[in-house]
Amino acid sequence: MGNVSLTASSDRVNLAAEPLLRRPSTIKRLMRSPSAIIGLVIVVSLVLVAIFAPLIAPYDPIKQSFRIQLQPPSIGHPFGTDEFGRDILSRVLYGARWALFVGLLADSIALVLGVTLGLLAGYFGGKTDGVISLLTDVMLAFPYLLLAMIVVAVLGPGITNAMIAIGIVYIPQYTRLVRGTVMSIREKEFVEAARCIGLSPFRIIVRHTLPNCVAPIIVMATLAIGWAIVETAGLSFLGLGAQPPTPEWGAMLASGRNYMLSAWWIATFPGLAIVVVVVGFNILGDGLRDALDPYLSHR
Amino acid sequence: MFKYTVRRLLQLIPVLIGVSVLVFVGMHIIPGDVAVLLLGDKGTPEALARLREELGLNQPIYVQYFRFLADALRGDFGISLRTRQTAWWEVRQALPMTIELSLCAMSFAVIVGVPIGVLAAVKQYSLFDSISMIGVLISVSMPIFWTGLILMMIFGGRLHWFPIGGILDEGVNLQRITGIHLLDALLTGNMEAFWSAARHLVLPTIALGSVTMATLARMTRSSMLEIMHQDYVRTARAKGLSRRTVLVRHAFRNALIPVITVAGLQLGILLSGAVLTETVFALPGVGRLAITSLLARDYAVVQAVVLVAAFLIVMVNLMVDLLYAQADPRIRYE
């Protein structure tokens, strides 16, 4: 998954302290990038659609109507209807809620646990680092979808468990990122000074180390929301995530798969929605990286 | 190099033990009694007790783990609930298909992705650079299963250029030697089967390889740009070498080092993608085997697939590390 350049850039951004996003230069740099603005617009639109879905969706997303099954796109149903006569546009709009929920929850699980483990491993080093790094290596040895499948097998199929599974799968990405950043700053004078004046390790980690990891974490968190949306949709597509009749994009794709040759619109529109949203998070993430790390912005 | 190789091999031992512990614990805490699953409705209390005894399920957990580890090392992962074959046999039947698909996808990714990355770097800020990077962005954002469905719909359903599922046309027979269809067809001189398998593999290869292709294109571009700004490249230009020679002999060769690493690390992504691609195109690989077994609660097979996949990833990562160390001596002496 795409964190290669993140880790490479983390050393250079780590000394930028706390109020990164409040700095005028960071915001200016972000706003100078047309692609980042497009990303921001897509992400804000997703949030608005998710909030106002009941107001803007023309029909009930789960109400079946067998008189209008498998209707192609028309003025009445711009995205057509599915095998149960449900309006696909309404289902795609409601699906934005699930996408946002899934992305945020899975990403939050990975972020909280991954960052905590990364801080501990990076700051304390030694045996703590050894154990956490081994755990990270073990998790990275699994194909991520198979690992997620095991977690879903343990917890049972369902959208919430699929989100938890994807969250767990992404923990090592954050751990590695933060560990590397913390290791590069733990010997710096300001951390040494904090130790000398007797601050507790907890306080040093939270007040002095964590703020220096904020930039790469923000970038990673933005990109990971998009990845989490795709992966959770993948689990739903396999029948391990959202179950019918939930209007979740991956589950919609799974049901549309059987009608791909006769009713192309059922799987096409939810798939397009996933692509647009993930492109949004990806370019916003890239834009944030460039804004937070000017060294890379010429690439 | 020898010391480095030994050190890396030793570092693998705890990772592989960790993988086995995680799989064992995962399979152990899945709800449901293995004995009940195996015997189904026919399980009398006595038969269940006998089977539990036989499988060692009433022994302490650590004894069960060591027994599981010893069995796994011998390739004994238990019996499949669905087919009553050994789980290892099931994996052995399906693995060559996944290896074939992954190799095709990786070849497609390298053949298409690396030249796009090089050209985009050489022509930085040109129309080609912009269009290819937009294409790359869209490719990495497309779910593999959706790409597969769209390709299937357009090139299979509408244009009828390629078949939409399976690996061989009806009526085409192929003698199994390695299980890798293209290779078996070549070994037996069965060109009809070769072209049939090749046509069946085109769409799954593009679907599975597109994300890796995009990642490699992006990585190659970024790596080339970094190298092209290095002093030694400027020196090579200053001493009068042609732009082409500098690009090929100095920039491209060095830019490939990180690309090799990323390509190796993509194996995990390809194996995960194989689950989805094989499901979409109905290919009989380990990905499809894993999901079919999981949905049927055939955990012996799931366990075998996961362990084999993790072992493959660990080994490929080791090979990538060794290749990297071979290519860049600084790594070995760290």
Side-chain angles (χ1 to χ4, degrees), chain A:
Chain A
M1 293 158 273
N3 68 337
V4 176
S5 49
L6 269 177
T7 41
S9 65
S10 59
D11 291 354
R12 287 183 294 275
V13 280
N14 60 29
L15 290 176
E18 247 166 323
L20 275 169
L21 286 176
R22 274 180 272 148
R23 279 187 191 171
S25 58
T26 305
I27 301 208
K28 262 188 203 161
R29 272 200 296 269
L30 185 68
M31 289 301 140
R32 265 206 302 264
S33 157
S35 60
I37 293 172
I38 295 172
L40 194 61
V41 169
I42 294 173
V43 171
V44 172
S45 306
L46 173 75
V47 175
L48 291 176
V49 168
I51 294 171
F52 297 110
L55 297 176
I56 51 179
Y59 300 94
D60 183 337
I62 50 173
K63 193 181 167 206
Q64 302 183 1
S65 177
F66 290 99
R67 283 182 299 114
I68 50 163
Q69 282 171 300
L70 302 172
Q71 298 269 312
S74 61
I75 294 174
H77 298 280
F79 288 1
T81 61
D82 66 10
E83 69 274 30
F84 297 108
R86 296 174 297 205
D87 179 57
I88 296 192
L89 173 62
S90 306
R91 289 177 66 74
V92 168
L93 292 173
Y94 269 89
R97 293 186 149 194
W98 285 105
L100 194 64
F101 179 50
V102 157
L104 286 177
L105 192 78
D107 198 18
S108 306
I109 292 170
L111 189 144
V112 171
L113 294 175
V115 168
T116 308
L117 289 172
L119 286 170
L120 294 174
Y123 183 78
F124 290 109
K127 280 183 186 161
T128 313
D129 182 31
V131 172
I132 293 173
S133 294
L134 177 63
L135 196 65
T136 308
D137 288 346
V138 167
M139 287 178 74
L140 287 173
F142 288 95
Y144 63 91
L145 200 60
L146 286 182
L147 184 59
M149 280 162 61
I150 295 182
V151 178
V152 172
V154 171
L155 301 174
I159 185 80
T160 312
N161 292 343
M163 279 185 268
I164 295 171
I166 297 299
I168 291 174
V169 166
Y170 281 128
I171 290 173
Q173 312 279 341
Y174 280 100
T175 305
R176 280 211 164 167
L177 176 72
V178 174
R179 174 182 173 268
T181 312
V182 174
M183 281 177 94
S184 69
I185 56 170
R186 73 173 175 202
E187 305 303 334
K188 297 260 188 255
E189 287 85 351
F190 68 92
V191 179
E192 201 69 36
R195 265 197 291 264
C196 289
I197 60 170
L199 292 186
S200 69
F202 177 78
R203 205 174 156 85
I204 296 175
I205 289 174
V206 173
R207 293 287 302 276
H208 299 279
T209 318
L210 183 59
N212 288 291
C213 307
V214 167
I217 291 174
I218 289 173
V219 178
M220 175 90 176
T222 312
L223 293 168
I225 293 177
W227 303 336
I229 291 172
V230 172
E231 309 310 351
T232 315
L235 285 177
S236 296
F237 180 77
L238 293 170
L240 299 171
Q243 303 295 317
T246 311
E248 195 266 346
W249 294 338
M252 289 170 72
L253 272 169
S255 75
R257 186 180 144 209
N258 302 325
Y259 300 92
M260 208 58 204
L261 302 181
S262 55
W264 56 268
W265 51 91
I266 302 181
T268 302
F269 291 112
L272 271 177
I274 297 177
V275 176
V276 171
V277 167
V278 177
V279 164
F281 279 107
N282 278 345
I283 52 182
L284 180 61
D286 285 350
L288 278 168
R289 181 177 49 213
D290 292 347
L292 294 168
D293 185 358
Y295 173 83
L296 285 174
S297 55
H298 71 279
R299 303 273 168 84

